[in-house]
Protein backbone atom coordinates (compact mmCIF):
# COMPACT_ATOMS: atom_id res chain seq x y z
CA UNK A 1 0.00 0.00 0.00
CA UNK A 2 1.47 3.37 -0.98
CA UNK A 3 1.64 6.20 1.51
CA UNK A 4 -0.54 8.78 -0.22
CA UNK A 5 -1.13 12.29 1.11
CA UNK A 6 -4.87 12.85 1.44
CA UNK A 7 -6.24 16.39 1.67
CA UNK A 8 -8.25 17.62 4.65
CA UNK A 9 -11.34 17.91 2.46
CA UNK A 10 -10.98 14.33 1.21
CA UNK A 11 -10.57 13.01 4.76
CA UNK A 12 -13.74 14.78 5.88
CA UNK A 13 -15.57 13.51 2.79
CA UNK A 14 -14.34 9.95 3.45
CA UNK A 15 -15.37 10.04 7.11
CA UNK A 16 -18.82 11.34 6.19
CA UNK A 17 -19.23 8.57 3.59
CA UNK A 18 -18.69 6.07 6.37
CA UNK A 19 -20.73 7.84 9.06
CA UNK A 20 -23.64 8.29 6.64
CA UNK A 21 -23.53 4.55 5.91
CA UNK A 22 -22.73 5.04 2.23
CA UNK A 23 -19.39 3.19 2.18
CA UNK A 24 -17.51 0.67 4.30
CA UNK A 25 -14.16 1.44 5.87
CA UNK A 26 -12.50 -1.11 3.60
CA UNK A 27 -14.00 0.46 0.46
CA UNK A 28 -12.91 3.96 1.57
CA UNK A 29 -9.36 2.70 2.16
CA UNK A 30 -9.34 1.31 -1.38
CA UNK A 31 -10.85 4.50 -2.86
CA UNK A 32 -8.17 6.72 -1.31
CA UNK A 33 -5.32 4.19 -1.62
CA UNK A 34 -4.58 4.19 2.12
CA UNK A 35 -4.57 1.53 4.81
CA UNK A 36 -7.67 0.48 6.69
CA UNK A 37 -5.95 1.65 9.90
CA UNK A 38 -5.63 5.15 8.42
CA UNK A 39 -9.35 5.31 7.67
CA UNK A 40 -10.16 4.06 11.16
CA UNK A 41 -7.88 6.74 12.65
CA UNK A 42 -9.58 9.45 10.56
CA UNK A 43 -12.98 8.33 11.84
CA UNK A 44 -11.83 8.12 15.46
CA UNK A 45 -10.17 11.55 15.32
CA UNK A 46 -13.17 13.13 13.57
CA UNK A 47 -15.57 11.74 16.17
CA UNK A 48 -13.32 13.02 18.95
CA UNK A 49 -12.23 16.43 17.64
CA UNK A 50 -14.45 17.20 14.66
CA UNK A 51 -13.01 18.54 11.41
CA UNK A 52 -10.29 20.33 13.43
CA UNK A 53 -8.63 16.93 13.83
CA UNK A 54 -7.34 17.24 10.29
CA UNK A 55 -6.10 20.82 10.46
CA UNK A 56 -3.93 20.50 13.57
CA UNK A 57 -0.25 20.81 12.71
CA UNK A 58 2.64 19.13 14.46
CA UNK A 59 2.57 16.71 17.32
CA UNK A 60 -0.13 17.06 19.92
CA UNK A 61 1.14 17.37 23.48
CA UNK A 62 -0.31 15.28 26.29
CA UNK A 63 0.01 15.90 30.02
CA UNK A 64 1.26 13.23 32.39
CA UNK A 65 -2.16 13.23 34.07
CA UNK A 66 -4.05 12.68 30.81
CA UNK A 67 -1.75 9.80 29.86
CA UNK A 68 -2.20 8.12 33.24
CA UNK A 69 -5.98 8.56 33.25
CA UNK A 70 -6.31 7.21 29.71
CA UNK A 71 -4.22 4.15 30.57
CA UNK A 72 -6.08 3.53 33.83
CA UNK A 73 -9.47 3.87 32.11
CA UNK A 74 -8.43 1.34 29.47
CA UNK A 75 -7.01 -1.12 32.00
CA UNK A 76 -10.14 -0.78 34.14
CA UNK A 77 -12.24 -1.81 31.15
CA UNK A 78 -14.00 1.53 30.64
CA UNK A 79 -13.72 1.16 26.89
CA UNK A 80 -11.76 -0.16 23.96
CA UNK A 81 -8.58 1.56 22.82
CA UNK A 82 -10.65 3.34 20.18
CA UNK A 83 -13.11 4.52 22.85
CA UNK A 84 -10.32 5.82 25.09
CA UNK A 85 -8.66 7.64 22.17
CA UNK A 86 -11.97 9.33 21.33
CA UNK A 87 -12.67 10.25 24.95
CA UNK A 88 -9.26 11.85 25.54
CA UNK A 89 -8.63 13.24 22.04
CA UNK A 90 -5.63 11.00 21.44
CA UNK A 91 -4.85 11.19 17.74
CA UNK A 92 -3.16 7.80 17.42
CA UNK A 93 -4.11 4.45 18.91
CA UNK A 94 -0.41 3.56 18.70
CA UNK A 95 0.33 6.35 21.19
CA UNK A 96 -2.11 4.89 23.70
CA UNK A 97 -0.59 1.44 23.16
CA UNK A 98 2.88 2.86 23.89
CA UNK A 99 1.65 4.46 27.12
CA UNK A 100 0.01 1.19 28.19
CA UNK A 101 3.23 -0.70 27.51
CA UNK A 102 5.25 1.83 29.53
CA UNK A 103 2.75 1.72 32.38
CA UNK A 104 2.73 -2.08 32.45
CA UNK A 105 6.55 -2.05 32.33
CA UNK A 106 6.57 0.21 35.41
CA UNK A 107 8.05 3.11 33.43
CA UNK A 108 7.03 6.63 34.32
CA UNK A 109 4.62 8.43 32.01
CA UNK A 110 5.83 11.99 31.53
CA UNK A 111 4.25 15.07 29.96
CA UNK A 112 5.13 15.24 26.29
CA UNK A 113 6.70 18.21 24.60
CA UNK A 114 6.45 21.78 25.67
CA UNK A 115 2.71 22.25 25.57
CA UNK A 116 3.13 24.60 22.64
CA UNK A 117 5.70 26.81 24.34
CA UNK A 118 8.86 27.71 22.47
CA UNK A 119 11.88 26.85 24.54
CA UNK A 120 15.37 28.20 24.21
CA UNK A 121 17.18 26.17 21.58
CA UNK A 122 20.54 27.93 21.72
CA UNK A 123 22.51 27.19 24.84
CA UNK A 124 24.57 29.53 26.93
CA UNK A 125 27.67 29.14 29.05
CA UNK A 126 26.99 28.16 32.63
CA UNK A 127 29.18 28.01 35.71
CA UNK A 128 29.68 24.82 37.65
CA UNK A 129 27.53 26.20 40.47
CA UNK A 130 24.71 26.98 38.02
CA UNK A 131 24.85 23.44 36.64
CA UNK A 132 24.58 21.98 40.14
CA UNK A 133 21.58 24.24 40.84
CA UNK A 134 19.99 23.27 37.50
CA UNK A 135 20.44 19.56 38.27
CA UNK A 136 18.96 19.91 41.75
CA UNK A 137 15.96 21.85 40.45
CA UNK A 138 15.29 19.46 37.58
CA UNK A 139 15.45 16.37 39.79
CA UNK A 140 13.20 18.00 42.39
CA UNK A 141 10.68 18.80 39.63
CA UNK A 142 10.28 15.30 38.22
CA UNK A 143 12.91 15.66 35.46
CA UNK A 144 10.90 18.38 33.73
CA UNK A 145 13.63 19.51 31.31
CA UNK A 146 11.38 22.01 29.56
CA UNK A 147 10.47 23.87 32.74
CA UNK A 148 14.11 23.77 33.90
CA UNK A 149 15.39 25.09 30.57
CA UNK A 150 12.91 27.96 30.61
CA UNK A 151 13.65 28.92 34.22
CA UNK A 152 17.44 28.87 33.86
CA UNK A 153 17.51 30.17 30.26
CA UNK A 154 19.49 27.22 28.91
CA UNK A 155 18.60 24.90 26.07
CA UNK A 156 16.48 21.81 26.67
CA UNK A 157 19.47 19.71 25.58
CA UNK A 158 21.78 21.39 28.10
CA UNK A 159 19.35 20.76 30.95
CA UNK A 160 18.98 17.14 29.92
CA UNK A 161 22.73 16.62 29.47
CA UNK A 162 23.47 18.00 32.93
CA UNK A 163 21.06 15.47 34.45
CA UNK A 164 22.41 12.57 32.40
CA UNK A 165 26.00 13.39 33.40
CA UNK A 166 25.03 13.85 37.03
CA UNK A 167 23.11 10.58 37.18
CA UNK A 168 25.99 8.75 35.50
CA UNK A 169 28.71 10.01 37.82
CA UNK A 170 27.45 12.54 40.34
CA UNK A 171 28.78 16.00 41.12
CA UNK A 172 32.36 14.76 41.49
CA UNK A 173 32.44 13.47 37.91
CA UNK A 174 31.06 16.80 36.69
CA UNK A 175 33.72 18.67 38.70
CA UNK A 176 36.50 16.47 37.30
CA UNK A 177 35.27 16.89 33.74
CA UNK A 178 35.03 20.66 34.21
CA UNK A 179 38.52 20.79 35.73
CA UNK A 180 40.04 18.69 32.91
CA UNK A 181 38.39 20.87 30.28
CA UNK A 182 39.84 24.02 31.85
CA UNK A 183 43.26 22.37 32.13
CA UNK A 184 43.20 21.44 28.42
CA UNK A 185 42.18 25.01 27.57
CA UNK A 186 45.13 26.43 29.51
CA UNK A 187 47.54 24.01 27.80
CA UNK A 188 46.20 25.00 24.36
CA UNK A 189 46.82 28.66 25.12
CA UNK A 190 50.47 27.88 26.00
CA UNK A 191 51.08 26.30 22.60
Amino acid sequence: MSKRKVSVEDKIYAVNLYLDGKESQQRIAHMFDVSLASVQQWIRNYESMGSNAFTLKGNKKYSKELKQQAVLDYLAGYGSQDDICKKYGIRSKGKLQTWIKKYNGHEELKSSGTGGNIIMTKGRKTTFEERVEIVQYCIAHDHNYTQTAELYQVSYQQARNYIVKYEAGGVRAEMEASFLKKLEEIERRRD
Side-chain angles (χ1 to χ4, degrees):
M1 179 110 352
S2 66
K3 185 141 181 148
R4 184 172 166 254
K5 181 77 174 157
V6 180
S7 72
V8 170
E9 294 79 18
D10 283 347
K11 287 179 184 178
I12 294 170
Y13 173 71
V15 168
N16 284 321
L17 282 176
Y18 174 74
L19 294 176
D20 293 342
K22 294 179 181 171
E23 293 291 350
S24 68
Q25 292 178 5
Q26 192 72 39
R27 176 77 180 116
I28 292 168
H30 182 72
M31 286 169 54
F32 289 94
D33 194 26
V34 296
S35 69
L36 176 61
S38 292
V39 173
Q40 291 169 337
Q41 185 170 332
W42 297 346
I43 295 165
R44 183 174 52 252
N45 291 347
Y46 183 84
E47 288 178 334
S48 174
M49 297 173 262
S51 58
N52 290 339
F54 305 121
T55 57
L56 299 171
K57 297 290 182 205
N59 294 327
K60 185 172 178 187
K61 312 303 181 202
Y62 302 97
S63 70
K64 176 181 179 177
E65 295 76 20
L66 181 139
K67 290 178 181 183
Q68 287 175 334
Q69 194 57 57
V71 168
L72 293 174
D73 279 4
Y74 174 72
L75 294 176
Y78 293 138
S80 67
Q81 289 181 3
D82 280 341
D83 296 335
I84 300 299
C85 286
K86 286 179 203 172
K87 178 179 178 181
Y88 289 99
I90 302 166
R91 288 160 67 181
S92 164
K93 193 162 69 170
K95 236 183 223 330
L96 177 61
Q97 291 167 345
T98 299
W99 301 341
I100 293 167
K101 186 176 179 182
K102 283 186 175 187
Y103 182 86
N104 286 336
H106 304 289
E107 290 182 49
E108 182 181 3
L109 295 171
K110 298 179 181 175
S111 294
S112 57
T114 64
N117 298 331
I118 297 172
I119 59 171
M120 185 175 179
T121 54
K122 187 174 179 186
R124 68 172 180 87
K125 286 194 171 202
T126 57
T127 65
F128 174 74
E129 290 78 20
E130 282 181 299
R131 289 192 295 274
V132 170
E133 187 178 336
I134 289 168
V135 166
Q136 290 172 339
Y137 178 87
C138 193
I139 289 172
H141 290 86
D142 204 22
H143 287 73
N144 188 331
Y145 304 119
T146 302
Q147 182 179 348
T148 303
E150 289 172 350
L151 179 66
Y152 288 93
Q153 291 297 295
V154 295
S155 71
Y156 178 97
Q157 193 62 40
Q158 276 180 298
R160 187 181 176 286
N161 284 342
Y162 298 156
I163 301 300
V164 169
K165 286 178 185 176
Y166 173 79
E167 290 177 340
V171 174
R172 183 170 176 81
E174 173 71 18
M175 282 176 55
E176 289 172 1
S178 180
F179 175 76
L180 290 173
K181 187 175 179 181
K182 287 178 183 175
L183 199 58
E184 288 172 2
E185 197 175 297
I186 291 169
E187 288 177 2
R188 263 189 271 130
R189 287 184 193 160
R190 286 186 190 165
D191 295 337

